[in-house]
Amino acid sequence: MVMPQPPYSPDFAPCESFLFQKLKLAVKGHHFEFTEDIQRNVTQVLNDIPQGVFQECYKQRHVCAGTRDVL
């Protein structure tokens, strides 16, 4: 018997999906020779995302979760 996979995981927040998409696009098609190169590339991608984008994403997460906490 095959169980259908849910369309989302409650443990996987939309913000995480947003970040993984950004990181995936940044490394897709690249061959990194050293782990440090991957770390440097990913760190740069994360640093390039404006702080307001992070805040808005987490604000939306709290609204969806029904909490009033805002970072």
Side-chain angles (χ1 to χ4, degrees):
M1 177 177 187
V2 175
M3 299 287 291
Q5 184 175 359
Y8 66 92
S9 169
D11 297 328
F12 193 65
C15 293
E16 293 165 348
S17 176
F18 160 79
L19 291 175
F20 287 136
Q21 278 291 2
K22 290 251 186 221
L23 295 174
K24 179 181 167 184
L25 289 173
V27 298
K28 185 177 181 178
H30 293 279
H31 174 76
F32 296 99
E33 202 166 321
F34 301 103
T35 303
E36 292 81 12
D37 295 336
I38 298 169
Q39 292 170 333
R40 201 172 11 262
N41 186 283
V42 167
T43 300
Q44 185 62 51
V45 170
L46 292 174
N47 285 333
D48 288 345
I49 299 171
Q51 183 179 359
V53 173
F54 277 112
Q55 290 174 337
E56 186 61 31
C57 184
Y58 281 98
K59 186 190 309 181
Q60 290 174 4
R61 176 177 179 220
H62 286 289
V63 169
C64 290
T67 65
R68 299 181 86 77
D69 299 344
V70 178
L71 298 175

Short mmCIF file of all heavy atoms in Angstrom, two decimals:
data_model
loop_
_atom_site.label_atom_id
_atom_site.label_comp_id
_atom_site.label_asym_id
_atom_site.label_seq_id
_atom_site.Cartn_x
_atom_site.Cartn_y
_atom_site.Cartn_z
N MET A 1 0.84 -1.18 0.00
CA MET A 1 0.00 0.00 0.00
C MET A 1 0.89 1.25 0.00
O MET A 1 1.84 1.35 0.76
CB MET A 1 -0.89 -0.02 1.24
CG MET A 1 -1.74 1.18 1.37
SD MET A 1 -2.80 0.99 2.83
CE MET A 1 -3.80 2.38 2.61
N VAL A 2 0.57 2.20 -0.84
CA VAL A 2 1.32 3.44 -0.93
C VAL A 2 0.49 4.54 -0.29
O VAL A 2 -0.66 4.75 -0.65
CB VAL A 2 1.64 3.79 -2.40
CG1 VAL A 2 2.32 5.13 -2.49
CG2 VAL A 2 2.47 2.70 -3.03
N MET A 3 1.13 5.23 0.65
CA MET A 3 0.45 6.35 1.31
C MET A 3 0.79 7.63 0.55
O MET A 3 1.96 7.86 0.23
CB MET A 3 0.93 6.48 2.76
CG MET A 3 0.66 5.26 3.62
SD MET A 3 -1.06 5.09 4.04
CE MET A 3 -1.29 6.46 5.12
N PRO A 4 -0.21 8.46 0.28
CA PRO A 4 0.11 9.73 -0.39
C PRO A 4 0.90 10.63 0.54
O PRO A 4 0.68 10.67 1.74
CB PRO A 4 -1.26 10.33 -0.70
CG PRO A 4 -2.21 9.67 0.25
CD PRO A 4 -1.63 8.31 0.55
N GLN A 5 1.83 11.34 -0.05
CA GLN A 5 2.65 12.27 0.72
C GLN A 5 1.90 13.58 0.86
O GLN A 5 1.32 14.08 -0.10
CB GLN A 5 3.98 12.50 0.01
CG GLN A 5 4.92 13.38 0.79
CD GLN A 5 6.27 13.48 0.11
OE1 GLN A 5 6.50 12.89 -0.93
NE2 GLN A 5 7.15 14.26 0.70
N PRO A 6 1.87 14.14 2.08
CA PRO A 6 1.18 15.42 2.25
C PRO A 6 1.86 16.52 1.43
O PRO A 6 3.06 16.44 1.17
CB PRO A 6 1.30 15.71 3.75
CG PRO A 6 2.44 14.89 4.22
CD PRO A 6 2.52 13.70 3.31
N PRO A 7 1.09 17.53 1.01
CA PRO A 7 1.66 18.59 0.18
C PRO A 7 2.69 19.44 0.91
O PRO A 7 3.45 20.16 0.31
CB PRO A 7 0.45 19.44 -0.22
CG PRO A 7 -0.56 19.15 0.83
CD PRO A 7 -0.31 17.74 1.28
N TYR A 8 2.70 19.37 2.23
CA TYR A 8 3.67 20.11 3.01
C TYR A 8 3.90 19.37 4.32
O TYR A 8 3.12 18.52 4.71
CB TYR A 8 3.19 21.53 3.30
CG TYR A 8 1.98 21.55 4.21
CD1 TYR A 8 2.14 21.66 5.59
CD2 TYR A 8 0.70 21.43 3.71
CE1 TYR A 8 1.05 21.64 6.43
CE2 TYR A 8 -0.39 21.41 4.54
CZ TYR A 8 -0.22 21.52 5.90
OH TYR A 8 -1.30 21.50 6.73
N SER A 9 4.96 19.69 4.95
CA SER A 9 5.25 19.11 6.25
C SER A 9 5.04 20.20 7.30
O SER A 9 5.53 21.31 7.13
CB SER A 9 6.69 18.60 6.30
OG SER A 9 7.05 18.29 7.62
N PRO A 10 4.36 19.89 8.39
CA PRO A 10 4.20 20.90 9.43
C PRO A 10 5.53 21.31 10.06
O PRO A 10 5.64 22.35 10.68
CB PRO A 10 3.28 20.24 10.46
CG PRO A 10 3.32 18.79 10.15
CD PRO A 10 3.71 18.65 8.70
N ASP A 11 6.55 20.49 9.87
CA ASP A 11 7.88 20.80 10.39
C ASP A 11 8.68 21.66 9.42
O ASP A 11 9.79 22.06 9.72
CB ASP A 11 8.66 19.53 10.68
CG ASP A 11 8.01 18.69 11.75
OD1 ASP A 11 7.39 19.28 12.66
OD2 ASP A 11 8.11 17.46 11.69
N PHE A 12 8.13 21.91 8.26
CA PHE A 12 8.84 22.65 7.22
C PHE A 12 8.11 23.96 6.98
O PHE A 12 7.08 24.01 6.31
CB PHE A 12 8.88 21.80 5.95
CG PHE A 12 9.83 22.30 4.90
CD1 PHE A 12 11.19 22.34 5.13
CD2 PHE A 12 9.36 22.72 3.68
CE1 PHE A 12 12.06 22.79 4.16
CE2 PHE A 12 10.22 23.17 2.69
CZ PHE A 12 11.57 23.20 2.95
N ALA A 13 8.61 25.02 7.57
CA ALA A 13 7.97 26.33 7.48
C ALA A 13 8.15 26.94 6.09
O ALA A 13 9.15 26.66 5.42
CB ALA A 13 8.56 27.26 8.53
N PRO A 14 7.21 27.77 5.64
CA PRO A 14 7.36 28.44 4.34
C PRO A 14 8.67 29.21 4.22
O PRO A 14 9.24 29.31 3.15
CB PRO A 14 6.16 29.38 4.28
CG PRO A 14 5.15 28.79 5.19
CD PRO A 14 5.94 28.11 6.28
N CYS A 15 9.14 29.77 5.32
CA CYS A 15 10.41 30.51 5.29
C CYS A 15 11.57 29.60 4.93
O CYS A 15 12.49 30.00 4.23
CB CYS A 15 10.69 31.16 6.64
SG CYS A 15 9.50 32.45 7.02
N GLU A 16 11.51 28.38 5.43
CA GLU A 16 12.57 27.44 5.11
C GLU A 16 12.52 27.10 3.63
O GLU A 16 13.55 26.98 2.98
CB GLU A 16 12.44 26.21 5.98
CG GLU A 16 12.73 26.52 7.44
CD GLU A 16 12.27 25.43 8.39
OE1 GLU A 16 11.53 24.52 7.96
OE2 GLU A 16 12.65 25.49 9.56
N SER A 17 11.33 26.96 3.09
CA SER A 17 11.18 26.69 1.67
C SER A 17 11.75 27.84 0.85
O SER A 17 12.46 27.63 -0.13
CB SER A 17 9.70 26.49 1.33
OG SER A 17 9.53 26.33 -0.05
N PHE A 18 11.47 29.05 1.27
CA PHE A 18 11.99 30.25 0.62
C PHE A 18 13.52 30.23 0.60
O PHE A 18 14.15 30.47 -0.42
CB PHE A 18 11.45 31.47 1.37
CG PHE A 18 12.23 32.74 1.15
CD1 PHE A 18 12.07 33.48 -0.01
CD2 PHE A 18 13.12 33.19 2.10
CE1 PHE A 18 12.78 34.64 -0.20
CE2 PHE A 18 13.84 34.36 1.92
CZ PHE A 18 13.66 35.08 0.76
N LEU A 19 14.12 29.91 1.76
CA LEU A 19 15.57 29.90 1.84
C LEU A 19 16.18 28.77 1.01
O LEU A 19 17.18 28.97 0.32
CB LEU A 19 16.02 29.76 3.30
CG LEU A 19 15.76 30.97 4.17
CD1 LEU A 19 16.15 30.67 5.61
CD2 LEU A 19 16.51 32.18 3.67
N PHE A 20 15.58 27.59 1.07
CA PHE A 20 16.12 26.47 0.31
C PHE A 20 16.06 26.74 -1.19
O PHE A 20 16.95 26.37 -1.93
CB PHE A 20 15.39 25.17 0.65
CG PHE A 20 15.74 24.64 2.00
CD1 PHE A 20 14.76 24.17 2.84
CD2 PHE A 20 17.05 24.59 2.44
CE1 PHE A 20 15.08 23.67 4.09
CE2 PHE A 20 17.39 24.10 3.69
CZ PHE A 20 16.39 23.63 4.52
N GLN A 21 15.00 27.40 -1.65
CA GLN A 21 14.90 27.74 -3.07
C GLN A 21 16.03 28.68 -3.47
O GLN A 21 16.65 28.52 -4.52
CB GLN A 21 13.55 28.40 -3.38
CG GLN A 21 12.43 27.43 -3.58
CD GLN A 21 12.59 26.62 -4.86
OE1 GLN A 21 13.55 26.73 -5.61
NE2 GLN A 21 11.63 25.76 -5.10
N LYS A 22 16.28 29.70 -2.65
CA LYS A 22 17.37 30.64 -2.94
C LYS A 22 18.71 29.92 -3.00
O LYS A 22 19.52 30.15 -3.90
CB LYS A 22 17.43 31.73 -1.87
CG LYS A 22 16.28 32.68 -1.92
CD LYS A 22 16.78 34.00 -2.42
CE LYS A 22 15.69 35.04 -2.34
NZ LYS A 22 15.67 35.88 -3.49
N LEU A 23 18.95 29.06 -2.02
CA LEU A 23 20.22 28.34 -1.97
C LEU A 23 20.35 27.35 -3.13
O LEU A 23 21.41 27.21 -3.72
CB LEU A 23 20.37 27.62 -0.63
CG LEU A 23 20.45 28.54 0.58
CD1 LEU A 23 20.45 27.72 1.86
CD2 LEU A 23 21.66 29.43 0.50
N LYS A 24 19.26 26.69 -3.43
CA LYS A 24 19.28 25.71 -4.52
C LYS A 24 19.63 26.39 -5.84
O LYS A 24 20.46 25.89 -6.61
CB LYS A 24 17.91 25.04 -4.62
CG LYS A 24 17.77 24.04 -5.72
CD LYS A 24 16.37 23.46 -5.72
CE LYS A 24 16.09 22.69 -6.97
NZ LYS A 24 14.71 22.21 -7.02
N LEU A 25 19.02 27.53 -6.11
CA LEU A 25 19.29 28.25 -7.35
C LEU A 25 20.74 28.73 -7.40
O LEU A 25 21.35 28.79 -8.47
CB LEU A 25 18.34 29.43 -7.50
CG LEU A 25 16.89 29.06 -7.80
CD1 LEU A 25 16.01 30.31 -7.75
CD2 LEU A 25 16.76 28.35 -9.13
N ALA A 26 21.30 29.07 -6.24
CA ALA A 26 22.66 29.59 -6.20
C ALA A 26 23.71 28.51 -6.49
O ALA A 26 24.76 28.80 -7.05
CB ALA A 26 22.94 30.22 -4.84
N VAL A 27 23.42 27.28 -6.13
CA VAL A 27 24.43 26.22 -6.30
C VAL A 27 24.13 25.29 -7.47
O VAL A 27 24.99 24.51 -7.89
CB VAL A 27 24.61 25.39 -5.00
CG1 VAL A 27 25.11 26.26 -3.88
CG2 VAL A 27 23.35 24.67 -4.62
N LYS A 28 22.93 25.38 -8.01
CA LYS A 28 22.53 24.50 -9.11
C LYS A 28 23.45 24.69 -10.31
O LYS A 28 23.72 25.81 -10.75
CB LYS A 28 21.09 24.81 -9.52
CG LYS A 28 20.54 23.86 -10.57
CD LYS A 28 19.10 24.18 -10.86
CE LYS A 28 18.56 23.20 -11.88
NZ LYS A 28 17.14 23.45 -12.14
N GLY A 29 23.96 23.57 -10.80
CA GLY A 29 24.81 23.60 -11.99
C GLY A 29 26.26 23.93 -11.73
O GLY A 29 27.06 23.93 -12.64
N HIS A 30 26.60 24.22 -10.48
CA HIS A 30 27.99 24.53 -10.12
C HIS A 30 28.68 23.29 -9.56
O HIS A 30 28.07 22.50 -8.86
CB HIS A 30 28.06 25.64 -9.07
CG HIS A 30 27.59 26.96 -9.56
ND1 HIS A 30 28.38 27.80 -10.30
CD2 HIS A 30 26.40 27.59 -9.42
CE1 HIS A 30 27.70 28.89 -10.59
NE2 HIS A 30 26.50 28.78 -10.07
N HIS A 31 29.92 23.14 -9.90
CA HIS A 31 30.73 22.08 -9.32
C HIS A 31 31.72 22.73 -8.37
O HIS A 31 32.52 23.58 -8.77
CB HIS A 31 31.50 21.31 -10.40
CG HIS A 31 32.44 20.31 -9.83
ND1 HIS A 31 32.01 19.11 -9.30
CD2 HIS A 31 33.78 20.33 -9.67
CE1 HIS A 31 33.06 18.44 -8.86
NE2 HIS A 31 34.15 19.17 -9.07
N PHE A 32 31.61 22.37 -7.11
CA PHE A 32 32.51 22.93 -6.11
C PHE A 32 33.56 21.89 -5.77
O PHE A 32 33.25 20.75 -5.47
CB PHE A 32 31.73 23.30 -4.84
CG PHE A 32 30.72 24.39 -5.08
CD1 PHE A 32 29.38 24.09 -5.28
CD2 PHE A 32 31.10 25.72 -5.12
CE1 PHE A 32 28.45 25.08 -5.50
CE2 PHE A 32 30.19 26.72 -5.34
CZ PHE A 32 28.85 26.40 -5.53
N GLU A 33 34.78 22.32 -5.83
CA GLU A 33 35.89 21.41 -5.58
C GLU A 33 36.10 21.17 -4.09
O GLU A 33 36.47 20.09 -3.67
CB GLU A 33 37.17 21.97 -6.20
CG GLU A 33 38.20 20.91 -6.47
CD GLU A 33 39.30 21.43 -7.37
OE1 GLU A 33 39.00 22.18 -8.32
OE2 GLU A 33 40.45 21.08 -7.11
N PHE A 34 35.84 22.21 -3.29
CA PHE A 34 36.09 22.11 -1.85
C PHE A 34 34.84 22.50 -1.06
O PHE A 34 34.07 23.36 -1.49
CB PHE A 34 37.24 23.04 -1.44
CG PHE A 34 38.52 22.74 -2.16
CD1 PHE A 34 38.95 23.54 -3.21
CD2 PHE A 34 39.30 21.65 -1.80
CE1 PHE A 34 40.13 23.27 -3.88
CE2 PHE A 34 40.47 21.37 -2.46
CZ PHE A 34 40.89 22.17 -3.51
N THR A 35 34.68 21.89 0.09
CA THR A 35 33.57 22.20 0.97
C THR A 35 33.56 23.68 1.33
O THR A 35 32.50 24.31 1.41
CB THR A 35 33.64 21.35 2.26
OG1 THR A 35 33.67 19.97 1.91
CG2 THR A 35 32.47 21.62 3.18
N GLU A 36 34.73 24.24 1.51
CA GLU A 36 34.83 25.66 1.87
C GLU A 36 34.23 26.55 0.77
O GLU A 36 33.66 27.60 1.06
CB GLU A 36 36.29 26.06 2.13
CG GLU A 36 36.88 25.44 3.37
CD GLU A 36 37.36 23.99 3.15
OE1 GLU A 36 37.44 23.53 1.99
OE2 GLU A 36 37.64 23.34 4.16
N ASP A 37 34.36 26.13 -0.48
CA ASP A 37 33.77 26.90 -1.59
C ASP A 37 32.25 26.90 -1.50
O ASP A 37 31.60 27.93 -1.76
CB ASP A 37 34.21 26.33 -2.94
CG ASP A 37 35.71 26.46 -3.18
OD1 ASP A 37 36.33 27.35 -2.57
OD2 ASP A 37 36.24 25.66 -3.98
N ILE A 38 31.68 25.77 -1.14
CA ILE A 38 30.22 25.69 -0.97
C ILE A 38 29.80 26.58 0.18
O ILE A 38 28.85 27.36 0.06
CB ILE A 38 29.78 24.24 -0.71
CG1 ILE A 38 30.14 23.34 -1.89
CG2 ILE A 38 28.28 24.18 -0.42
CD1 ILE A 38 29.98 21.87 -1.61
N GLN A 39 30.50 26.47 1.29
CA GLN A 39 30.16 27.29 2.46
C GLN A 39 30.25 28.77 2.14
O GLN A 39 29.37 29.55 2.53
CB GLN A 39 31.10 26.94 3.63
CG GLN A 39 30.86 25.55 4.17
CD GLN A 39 31.93 25.12 5.16
OE1 GLN A 39 33.07 25.59 5.10
NE2 GLN A 39 31.57 24.22 6.06
N ARG A 40 31.27 29.17 1.45
CA ARG A 40 31.46 30.57 1.10
C ARG A 40 30.32 31.05 0.18
O ARG A 40 29.76 32.13 0.37
CB ARG A 40 32.82 30.75 0.42
CG ARG A 40 33.36 32.13 0.43
CD ARG A 40 34.80 32.26 -0.07
NE ARG A 40 35.43 31.10 -0.72
CZ ARG A 40 36.24 30.23 -0.10
NH1 ARG A 40 36.52 30.36 1.17
NH2 ARG A 40 36.77 29.23 -0.77
N ASN A 41 29.97 30.23 -0.80
CA ASN A 41 28.91 30.58 -1.74
C ASN A 41 27.56 30.71 -1.04
O ASN A 41 26.84 31.68 -1.23
CB ASN A 41 28.85 29.53 -2.85
CG ASN A 41 27.89 29.88 -3.94
OD1 ASN A 41 26.69 29.75 -3.77
ND2 ASN A 41 28.41 30.32 -5.08
N VAL A 42 27.23 29.74 -0.21
CA VAL A 42 25.95 29.74 0.50
C VAL A 42 25.89 30.91 1.48
O VAL A 42 24.87 31.59 1.59
CB VAL A 42 25.72 28.39 1.21
CG1 VAL A 42 24.58 28.46 2.20
CG2 VAL A 42 25.46 27.30 0.18
N THR A 43 26.97 31.16 2.18
CA THR A 43 27.02 32.28 3.12
C THR A 43 26.79 33.60 2.39
O THR A 43 26.04 34.46 2.86
CB THR A 43 28.36 32.31 3.87
OG1 THR A 43 28.49 31.09 4.60
CG2 THR A 43 28.44 33.49 4.82
N GLN A 44 27.39 33.76 1.23
CA GLN A 44 27.22 34.98 0.45
C GLN A 44 25.77 35.14 0.01
O GLN A 44 25.20 36.25 0.08
CB GLN A 44 28.14 34.99 -0.77
CG GLN A 44 28.10 36.29 -1.54
CD GLN A 44 28.56 37.47 -0.69
OE1 GLN A 44 29.62 37.42 -0.08
NE2 GLN A 44 27.77 38.52 -0.64
N VAL A 45 25.14 34.06 -0.43
CA VAL A 45 23.73 34.12 -0.85
C VAL A 45 22.86 34.56 0.32
O VAL A 45 22.00 35.43 0.18
CB VAL A 45 23.26 32.75 -1.40
CG1 VAL A 45 21.76 32.74 -1.61
CG2 VAL A 45 23.97 32.43 -2.70
N LEU A 46 23.08 33.97 1.49
CA LEU A 46 22.28 34.33 2.66
C LEU A 46 22.53 35.78 3.08
O LEU A 46 21.59 36.49 3.44
CB LEU A 46 22.60 33.38 3.82
CG LEU A 46 22.12 31.93 3.63
CD1 LEU A 46 22.62 31.07 4.78
CD2 LEU A 46 20.61 31.86 3.51
N ASN A 47 23.77 36.22 3.02
CA ASN A 47 24.10 37.60 3.39
C ASN A 47 23.51 38.61 2.41
O ASN A 47 23.25 39.75 2.79
CB ASN A 47 25.61 37.79 3.49
CG ASN A 47 26.19 37.18 4.74
OD1 ASN A 47 25.52 37.05 5.75
ND2 ASN A 47 27.45 36.80 4.67
N ASP A 48 23.29 38.20 1.18
CA ASP A 48 22.74 39.09 0.16
C ASP A 48 21.23 39.28 0.27
O ASP A 48 20.67 40.18 -0.35
CB ASP A 48 23.09 38.59 -1.24
CG ASP A 48 24.55 38.79 -1.58
OD1 ASP A 48 25.24 39.55 -0.87
OD2 ASP A 48 25.02 38.16 -2.57
N ILE A 49 20.56 38.44 1.04
CA ILE A 49 19.11 38.57 1.21
C ILE A 49 18.87 39.70 2.22
O ILE A 49 19.37 39.65 3.33
CB ILE A 49 18.48 37.26 1.72
CG1 ILE A 49 18.72 36.13 0.72
CG2 ILE A 49 16.98 37.44 1.97
CD1 ILE A 49 18.32 34.76 1.22
N PRO A 50 18.11 40.72 1.83
CA PRO A 50 17.87 41.85 2.74
C PRO A 50 17.16 41.40 4.03
O PRO A 50 16.32 40.50 4.01
CB PRO A 50 16.96 42.78 1.94
CG PRO A 50 17.16 42.39 0.52
CD PRO A 50 17.48 40.93 0.53
N GLN A 51 17.50 42.04 5.12
CA GLN A 51 16.94 41.69 6.43
C GLN A 51 15.41 41.79 6.41
O GLN A 51 14.72 40.97 7.01
CB GLN A 51 17.52 42.60 7.50
CG GLN A 51 17.04 42.26 8.90
CD GLN A 51 17.66 43.17 9.95
OE1 GLN A 51 18.46 44.04 9.64
NE2 GLN A 51 17.30 42.97 11.18
N GLY A 52 14.89 42.78 5.73
CA GLY A 52 13.44 42.96 5.66
C GLY A 52 12.72 41.78 5.03
O GLY A 52 11.58 41.46 5.40
N VAL A 53 13.38 41.11 4.10
CA VAL A 53 12.78 39.93 3.45
C VAL A 53 12.65 38.80 4.48
O VAL A 53 11.62 38.12 4.54
CB VAL A 53 13.62 39.49 2.24
CG1 VAL A 53 13.12 38.19 1.66
CG2 VAL A 53 13.63 40.57 1.17
N PHE A 54 13.70 38.60 5.28
CA PHE A 54 13.63 37.60 6.35
C PHE A 54 12.50 37.93 7.33
O PHE A 54 11.70 37.08 7.70
CB PHE A 54 14.95 37.54 7.13
CG PHE A 54 16.00 36.70 6.49
CD1 PHE A 54 17.15 37.29 5.99
CD2 PHE A 54 15.88 35.33 6.42
CE1 PHE A 54 18.14 36.52 5.41
CE2 PHE A 54 16.86 34.55 5.85
CZ PHE A 54 18.00 35.15 5.34
N GLN A 55 12.45 39.18 7.75
CA GLN A 55 11.45 39.59 8.74
C GLN A 55 10.04 39.40 8.21
O GLN A 55 9.16 38.93 8.92
CB GLN A 55 11.68 41.04 9.16
CG GLN A 55 12.93 41.21 9.99
CD GLN A 55 13.25 42.67 10.29
OE1 GLN A 55 12.83 43.57 9.56
NE2 GLN A 55 14.01 42.89 11.34
N GLU A 56 9.81 39.76 6.97
CA GLU A 56 8.48 39.60 6.38
C GLU A 56 8.09 38.13 6.28
O GLU A 56 6.95 37.77 6.56
CB GLU A 56 8.43 40.26 5.00
CG GLU A 56 7.06 40.27 4.38
CD GLU A 56 6.04 41.04 5.19
OE1 GLU A 56 6.39 42.03 5.86
OE2 GLU A 56 4.85 40.65 5.16
N CYS A 57 9.03 37.31 5.92
CA CYS A 57 8.76 35.88 5.81
C CYS A 57 8.35 35.30 7.16
O CYS A 57 7.37 34.58 7.26
CB CYS A 57 10.01 35.17 5.28
SG CYS A 57 9.77 33.42 5.00
N TYR A 58 9.08 35.64 8.20
CA TYR A 58 8.76 35.11 9.52
C TYR A 58 7.49 35.74 10.09
O TYR A 58 6.74 35.10 10.81
CB TYR A 58 9.94 35.27 10.48
CG TYR A 58 10.97 34.20 10.22
CD1 TYR A 58 12.09 34.45 9.45
CD2 TYR A 58 10.77 32.92 10.72
CE1 TYR A 58 13.00 33.46 9.18
CE2 TYR A 58 11.69 31.91 10.46
CZ TYR A 58 12.80 32.19 9.69
OH TYR A 58 13.70 31.19 9.42
N LYS A 59 7.22 36.99 9.72
CA LYS A 59 5.97 37.61 10.15
C LYS A 59 4.79 36.85 9.55
O LYS A 59 3.82 36.55 10.23
CB LYS A 59 5.92 39.08 9.70
CG LYS A 59 4.71 39.83 10.24
CD LYS A 59 4.53 41.20 9.62
CE LYS A 59 5.76 42.06 9.66
NZ LYS A 59 5.53 43.40 9.08
N GLN A 60 4.89 36.50 8.28
CA GLN A 60 3.84 35.73 7.62
C GLN A 60 3.69 34.36 8.25
O GLN A 60 2.59 33.85 8.40
CB GLN A 60 4.14 35.59 6.13
CG GLN A 60 3.99 36.88 5.38
CD GLN A 60 4.43 36.75 3.93
OE1 GLN A 60 4.78 35.67 3.47
NE2 GLN A 60 4.43 37.86 3.22
N ARG A 61 4.79 33.77 8.66
CA ARG A 61 4.73 32.45 9.30
C ARG A 61 3.95 32.54 10.60
O ARG A 61 3.11 31.70 10.88
CB ARG A 61 6.13 31.93 9.56
CG ARG A 61 6.11 30.60 10.31
CD ARG A 61 7.50 30.05 10.51
NE ARG A 61 7.41 28.81 11.23
CZ ARG A 61 8.24 28.46 12.18
NH1 ARG A 61 9.24 29.23 12.50
NH2 ARG A 61 8.10 27.31 12.79
N HIS A 62 4.20 33.58 11.41
CA HIS A 62 3.49 33.73 12.67
C HIS A 62 2.01 34.00 12.44
O HIS A 62 1.18 33.50 13.18
CB HIS A 62 4.12 34.84 13.51
CG HIS A 62 5.43 34.44 14.11
ND1 HIS A 62 5.51 33.52 15.13
CD2 HIS A 62 6.69 34.81 13.83
CE1 HIS A 62 6.79 33.36 15.46
NE2 HIS A 62 7.53 34.12 14.68
N VAL A 63 1.68 34.75 11.42
CA VAL A 63 0.28 35.02 11.12
C VAL A 63 -0.41 33.72 10.72
O VAL A 63 -1.50 33.41 11.19
CB VAL A 63 0.15 36.07 9.99
CG1 VAL A 63 -1.27 36.14 9.48
CG2 VAL A 63 0.63 37.42 10.49
N CYS A 64 0.26 32.91 9.91
CA CYS A 64 -0.32 31.63 9.48
C CYS A 64 -0.47 30.67 10.65
O CYS A 64 -1.41 29.88 10.70
CB CYS A 64 0.55 30.97 8.41
SG CYS A 64 0.52 31.84 6.84
N ALA A 65 0.45 30.74 11.60
CA ALA A 65 0.42 29.85 12.74
C ALA A 65 -0.56 30.34 13.81
O ALA A 65 -0.82 29.65 14.79
CB ALA A 65 1.81 29.72 13.36
N GLY A 66 -1.10 31.54 13.61
CA GLY A 66 -2.08 32.06 14.55
C GLY A 66 -1.46 32.70 15.78
O GLY A 66 -2.15 32.90 16.78
N THR A 67 -0.18 33.03 15.72
CA THR A 67 0.44 33.69 16.86
C THR A 67 0.61 35.16 16.54
O THR A 67 0.54 35.57 15.39
CB THR A 67 1.83 33.08 17.18
OG1 THR A 67 2.70 33.33 16.07
CG2 THR A 67 1.71 31.59 17.44
N ARG A 68 0.87 35.94 17.54
CA ARG A 68 1.03 37.37 17.34
C ARG A 68 2.49 37.79 17.49
O ARG A 68 2.81 38.96 17.43
CB ARG A 68 0.16 38.13 18.33
CG ARG A 68 -1.31 37.82 18.13
CD ARG A 68 -2.16 38.60 19.10
NE ARG A 68 -2.51 39.92 18.66
CZ ARG A 68 -3.44 40.23 17.76
NH1 ARG A 68 -4.10 39.27 17.18
NH2 ARG A 68 -3.71 41.48 17.46
N ASP A 69 3.37 36.82 17.71
CA ASP A 69 4.79 37.14 17.87
C ASP A 69 5.37 37.57 16.54
O ASP A 69 5.18 36.93 15.53
CB ASP A 69 5.58 35.92 18.36
CG ASP A 69 5.10 35.43 19.72
OD1 ASP A 69 4.39 36.20 20.39
OD2 ASP A 69 5.43 34.30 20.08
N VAL A 70 6.07 38.67 16.57
CA VAL A 70 6.75 39.16 15.37
C VAL A 70 8.19 39.43 15.75
O VAL A 70 8.47 40.01 16.79
CB VAL A 70 6.09 40.45 14.83
CG1 VAL A 70 6.85 40.96 13.63
CG2 VAL A 70 4.64 40.19 14.50
N LEU A 71 9.10 38.99 14.90
CA LEU A 71 10.51 39.21 15.18
C LEU A 71 10.88 40.65 14.96
O LEU A 71 10.40 41.34 14.16
CB LEU A 71 11.37 38.31 14.27
CG LEU A 71 11.16 36.83 14.48
CD1 LEU A 71 11.98 36.05 13.43
CD2 LEU A 71 11.60 36.41 15.86
#
